[in-house]
Amino acid sequence: MTRILVTGGAGFIGSNYVRMLLERGEDEVLNLDALTYAGNLENLAEVEDSPAYSFVKADIRDAERIQAIFEQHRPEVVVHFAAESHVDRSVLDATEFVQTNVVGTQVLLDAARRTGVTRFVHVSTDEVYGSLGDTGLFTEDSPLQPNSPYSASKTGSDLLVRAAYHTHGFDTVITRCSNNYGPYQFPEKLIPLMIANALEGKKLPVYGDGKNVRDWIHVRDHCEGVDVVRRRGQAGEVYNLGGNSERQNLQVVRGILELAGKGEELIEYVTDRPGHDRRYAIDASKVQAEFGWEPTMTFEQGLEETFRWYVDHRDWWERVRSGAYQDYYARNYGARLGG
Ligand code: NAD
Ligand code: DAU
């Protein structure tokens, strides 16, 4: 059994990853999470009683506390998901993004290295590569050209991870994945937001002309990819993960309306996101050639399954949409309407 410390395990991808590890039953998992608006222990209700699971509430910006937790628990491996993850929020205010994504990552790298962690898996994003034109794919050698405060802060964290490897010989690997969707995604991101709004008969706010392209991957496939890199990745290397499922936003939104049995009159074109990246698409041939990993779920299959999950878990998303979420929704969308 490996003692794995997962940061951000109460968030969307982190909770799916923790559940996957516990279902597999080969490792001990310590979930370290600050429980921000995006972190929710309800996401792990099915596995929280597992003897191989424990949770500690802590903020990765707090160096002293993080060092103490590493000394107490002595994890062998770290899988680092914790981050501020939503581009629109970083446009409204980048402060927390720099603090958590950049400073928090360095705090973790330092504590992990000092306490003898043998592998640090840094979960990053394809957004560090910037935006593509109509053709081409991001490879691991594409230049780093982040365009939003979110992606700039993730790029900063990637460079600190790279430096820990080159300067200190610390064993790190980085994954860069495309857009995830699936169960437990906070309904501020495109797919769960559009599903929830469609189910409530609310308008679906499409930014700009709706023709921006994302490469969608089911969260379970992403988690398998992170895990194969954790087990088999080479120290110091970067691995792209992608879904081979490029779709324009409008295609995604129309697919959701069809599943919900609603008409296109619910679509509302709103002012575009500032600095909106036009297209992301991933070349994941490195991880496929080296480890045989590839996504297993088609987008149509995954979208339908995800839609059903949100239908069946209405109480979950209605709860997380109450309170502070309402203020964010008003701040982000209030100014866009009529755009
Ligand atoms: P999320 O916003 O759903 O979850 C983030 C988690 O981190 C939450 O549980 C939150 O409580 C925790 N957290 C935030 N700040 C913290 C802090 N200071 N200390 C401790 N915990 C803190 O995010 P997600 O969508 O699950 O993304 C997870 C990771 O994967 C992020 O690093 C993100 O950049 C990366 N990623 C996401 C996607 C995607 O499509 N969602 C794609 C590629 C990469
Ligand atoms: O590519 C990986 C990244 O994908 C991750 O690193 C980020 O953490 C994750 O949030 C995601 O970023 P995006 O900005 O691509 O995802 P989002 O769901 O916010 O938006 C997807 C597309 O949909 C994007 O082109 C903007 C558009 N959009 C989004 C929202 C929330 C709309 O048109 N309307 C909306 O209301």
Side-chain angles (χ1 to χ4, degrees):
M1 274 207 161
T2 306
R3 279 193 311 282
I4 303 179
L5 185 149
V6 176
T7 72
F12 163 48
I13 306 173
S15 64
N16 278 283
Y17 182 71
V18 167
R19 199 172 313 105
M20 185 188 84
L21 289 183
L22 292 171
E23 278 165 9
R24 201 177 282 164
E26 290 169 7
D27 304 290
E28 268 177 48
V29 180
L30 172 62
N31 174 14
L32 185 157
D33 197 297
L35 302 182
T36 67
Y37 79 93
N40 186 350
L41 288 178
E42 264 185 70
N43 301 359
L44 290 163
E46 296 154 34
V47 291
E48 68 188 358
D49 293 332
S50 160
Y53 173 72
S54 50
F55 171 72
V56 58
K57 182 170 189 284
D59 192 320
I60 61 169
R61 295 170 292 185
D62 183 345
E64 231 173 273
R65 177 135 160 77
I66 294 298
Q67 177 69 24
I69 289 168
F70 275 75
E71 280 170 16
Q72 183 189 346
H73 293 274
R74 295 274 159 188
E76 296 165 84
V77 169
V78 172
V79 185
H80 176 34
F81 291 96
E84 286 295 333
S85 68
H86 191 35
V87 173
D88 291 321
R89 287 182 191 258
S90 80
V91 175
L92 295 174
D93 184 357
T95 315
E96 306 265 295
F97 287 76
V98 176
Q99 290 301 325
T100 286
N101 300 358
V102 183
V103 177
T105 297
Q106 186 60 43
V107 164
L108 286 170
L109 285 167
D110 288 341
R113 186 169 54 80
R114 287 190 201 118
T115 55
V117 164
T118 57
R119 163 139 292 188
F120 189 100
V121 183
H122 178 61
V123 180
S124 190
T125 168
D126 60 357
E127 295 199 14
V128 299
Y129 299 124
S131 187
L132 290 165
D134 289 341
T135 56
L137 302 171
F138 295 132
T139 72
E140 289 82 356
D141 296 324
S142 296
L144 299 176
Q145 294 178 325
N147 292 318
S148 73
Y150 161 71
S151 53
S153 68
K154 289 296 289 188
T155 309
S157 64
D158 285 23
L159 295 180
L160 291 170
V161 172
R162 175 188 157 91
Y165 170 73
H166 283 278
T167 302
H168 299 292
F170 186 45
D171 184 318
T172 63
V173 281
I174 296 177
T175 60
R176 294 189 180 134
C177 188
S178 59
N179 285 61
N180 285 220
Y181 67 98
Y184 298 105
Q185 186 167 30
F186 196 85
E188 63 188 356
K189 306 280 166 66
L190 181 75
I191 288 183
L193 172 73
M194 298 296 166
I195 293 176
N197 281 13
L199 291 175
E200 287 186 327
K202 287 188 182 152
K203 292 286 186 189
L204 275 47
V206 170
Y207 296 165
D209 63 3
K211 293 188 176 156
N212 300 65
V213 171
R214 297 293 182 263
D215 171 7
W216 294 97
I217 182 170
H218 192 273
V219 63
R220 183 74 189 208
D221 280 327
H222 181 197
C223 290
E224 294 282 358
V226 167
D227 210 52
V228 92
V229 170
R230 167 182 75 87
R231 287 180 281 112
R232 300 177 60 192
Q234 284 229 28
E237 288 293 310
V238 174
Y239 297 92
N240 281 353
L241 300 167
N244 297 330
S245 293
E246 285 184 55
R247 298 287 184 283
Q248 288 187 347
N249 293 337
L250 266 179
Q251 289 177 275
V252 175
V253 169
R254 288 191 175 124
I256 291 168
L257 283 172
E258 202 175 310
L259 287 165
K262 299 277 168 73
E264 296 222 355
E265 66 282 359
L266 281 188
I267 294 177
E268 179 165 37
Y269 292 92
V270 301
T271 310
D272 208 356
R273 171 186 281 173
H276 196 175
D277 286 336
R278 193 63 174 167
R279 175 170 166 263
Y280 304 146
I282 276 276
D283 176 346
S285 54
K286 177 174 171 179
V287 83
Q288 184 174 358
E290 289 187 22
F291 314 128
W293 174 91
E294 56 186 355
T296 58
M297 205 178 280
T298 67
F299 183 64
E300 285 62 35
Q301 224 186 337
L303 188 65
E304 181 162 357
E305 188 202 281
T306 302
F307 179 80
R308 300 278 157 240
W309 190 89
Y310 279 84
V311 169
D312 293 343
H313 292 78
R314 195 168 179 134
D315 53 336
W316 179 87
W317 55 263
E318 282 184 346
R319 247 192 322 280
V320 300
R321 274 190 138 190
S322 63
Y325 176 82
Q326 302 293 337
D327 302 335
Y328 159 72
Y329 201 85
R331 275 181 79 201
N332 188 52
Y333 293 97
R336 291 184 195 277
L337 296 174

